[in-house]
Amino acid sequence: MPASLHALRLLILGGTTEATMLCQALEGQSNIAPILSLAGVTRAPHLPKIAVKIGGFGGRNGLRHWLQQNAIEAVIDATHPFAATMSHNAALACNALNIPLLRLERPAWQPTPQDCWHTVPSLQAAAHMLATPALWGKKHLTVFLTTGRKETAPFQAVPQHHYVLRSIDAPDAEALPPHTTLITARGPFDLAAEIATLRHYQFDYIVTKNSGGNATFPKIEAARQLNIPVIMVNRPAPAATPCVATATQALHWLKQYQTASTLRDV
């Protein structure tokens, strides 16, 4: 097949707004054959009009085998900023096969002087902070958990508080702290709605991960306006992978890679 007709076989590791935007931009393009990979954590995800693989690969070796079997020529890792294991496995597999890898990751949120953030390195550290009544001045708190439905177990160690958990899908009941109110909802959430939610429950604290992006930022802005402290879990250390912040930048990287590949094939 002539180089001009070759469609680049691209794997997109997805699960984020940026991944969705990239997939939408690639719909119908004849020079790229993208495959979106989703872990399958979210039920009934919104799917783009490209090939989709749902489910894991079986670790780094499984991913490496899948890349070989499907003749993948480039990978864009657009997983969640806290999906550290997947990003690590992608880096190892692509390095072993000499496949170019790009990380598409939105910037982290940054605090302003009006914010009251308590930054911690992990969810376990966040739970530990809630276990220190002298720090907060009261024994029983009302806490807003926006950490995801699979991230509730650490707070079972601090069962005295009332938690309000918001997630797209309902979590397993056995993973929840004993006093938990569940809100099932899918973002994005606007500022007015977030202010109304925070006022309704009269939260003492919000626990969240520094996911970045616009979809869930209104809760941070609402906390700022209502003077509610936030326990902010920092991102894991990034892999040593080239990184861009937007789908547009990822498309530019793809174009550059395709141009270089065409020149090599001439």
Side-chain angles (χ1 to χ4, degrees), residues 133 138-142 160-162 204:
K138 56 194 300 189
K139 292 183 179 181
H140 304 290
L141 304 171
T142 301
Q160 68 269 32
H161 303 312
H162 173 217
D204 296 297

Side-chain angles (χ1 to χ4, degrees), residues 41 80 123 144-155 164-172 175-177 182-183 207-209 211 219:
V41 174
H80 194 273
L123 288 165
F144 193 19
L145 288 182
T146 62
T147 55
R149 66 186 179 93
K150 291 192 171 185
E151 307 283 6
T152 60
F155 301 95
V164 177
L165 172 68
R166 184 170 69 191
S167 65
I168 297 174
D169 299 314
D172 296 331
L176 295 175
L182 178 63
I183 302 174
V207 179
T208 193
K209 298 185 290 189
S211 302
K219 69 172 178 278

Side-chain angles (χ1 to χ4, degrees), residues 78-89:
T79 56
H80 194 273
F82 282 80
T85 299
M86 185 69 251
S87 293
H88 181 67
N89 288 343

Side-chain angles (χ1 to χ4, degrees), residues 101-210:
L101 170 66
L102 180 73
R103 172 69 177 155
L104 171 54
E105 181 176 292
R106 55 184 177 257
W109 297 318
Q110 300 298 326
T112 71
Q114 289 74 43
D115 290 303
C116 180
W117 288 10
H118 303 272
T119 57
V120 293
S122 66
L123 288 165
Q124 290 74 18
H128 181 73
M129 290 193 74
L130 293 175
T132 311
L135 185 63
W136 312 119
K138 56 194 300 189
K139 292 183 179 181
H140 304 290
L141 304 171
T142 301
V143 181
F144 193 19
L145 288 182
T146 62
T147 55
R149 66 186 179 93
K150 291 192 171 185
E151 307 283 6
T152 60
F155 301 95
Q156 290 181 328
V158 200
Q160 68 269 32
H161 303 312
H162 173 217
Y163 297 94
V164 177
L165 172 68
R166 184 170 69 191
S167 65
I168 297 174
D169 299 314
D172 296 331
E174 59 269 20
L176 295 175
H179 308 294
T180 300
T181 299
L182 178 63
I183 302 174
T184 53
R186 185 192 297 268
F189 306 98
D190 63 39
L191 178 59
E194 294 293 62
I195 289 176
T197 297
L198 300 190
R199 282 178 170 162
H200 175 75
Y201 288 99
Q202 297 183 321
F203 291 115
D204 296 297
Y205 289 90
I206 297 173
V207 179
T208 193
K209 298 185 290 189
N210 197 332

Side-chain angles (χ1 to χ4, degrees), residues 10 12 21-29 32 34 50 251 254:
L10 169 70
I12 302 170
M21 294 175 65
L22 176 61
C23 290
Q24 290 173 344
L26 292 173
E27 289 177 1
Q29 291 200 19
I32 298 179
I50 65 171
L251 289 169
L254 280 171

Side-chain angles (χ1 to χ4, degrees), residues 2-126:
S4 60
L5 299 180
H6 174 71
L8 177 74
R9 293 187 59 78
L10 169 70
L11 175 64
I12 302 170
L13 302 173
T16 59
T17 302
E18 291 72 27
T20 300
M21 294 175 65
L22 176 61
C23 290
Q24 290 173 344
L26 292 173
E27 289 177 1
Q29 291 200 19
S30 60
N31 62 336
I32 298 179
I35 303 172
L36 171 64
S37 170
L38 297 173
V41 174
T42 301
R43 302 183 185 98
H46 298 313
L47 299 179
K49 297 175 182 178
I50 65 171
V52 178
K53 176 193 178 301
I54 297 180
F57 293 94
R60 70 185 70 168
N61 291 331
L63 175 58
R64 182 170 60 182
H65 178 74
W66 192 93
L67 293 173
Q68 288 178 307
Q69 291 296 108
N70 289 273
I72 298 299
E73 299 169 88
V75 177
I76 294 180
D77 174 14
T79 56
H80 194 273
F82 282 80
T85 299
M86 185 69 251
S87 293
H88 181 67
N89 288 343
L92 291 175
C94 288
N95 183 63
L97 298 173
N98 198 29
I99 294 174
L101 170 66
L102 180 73
R103 172 69 177 155
L104 171 54
E105 181 176 292
R106 55 184 177 257
W109 297 318
Q110 300 298 326
T112 71
Q114 289 74 43
D115 290 303
C116 180
W117 288 10
H118 303 272
T119 57
V120 293
S122 66
L123 288 165
Q124 290 74 18

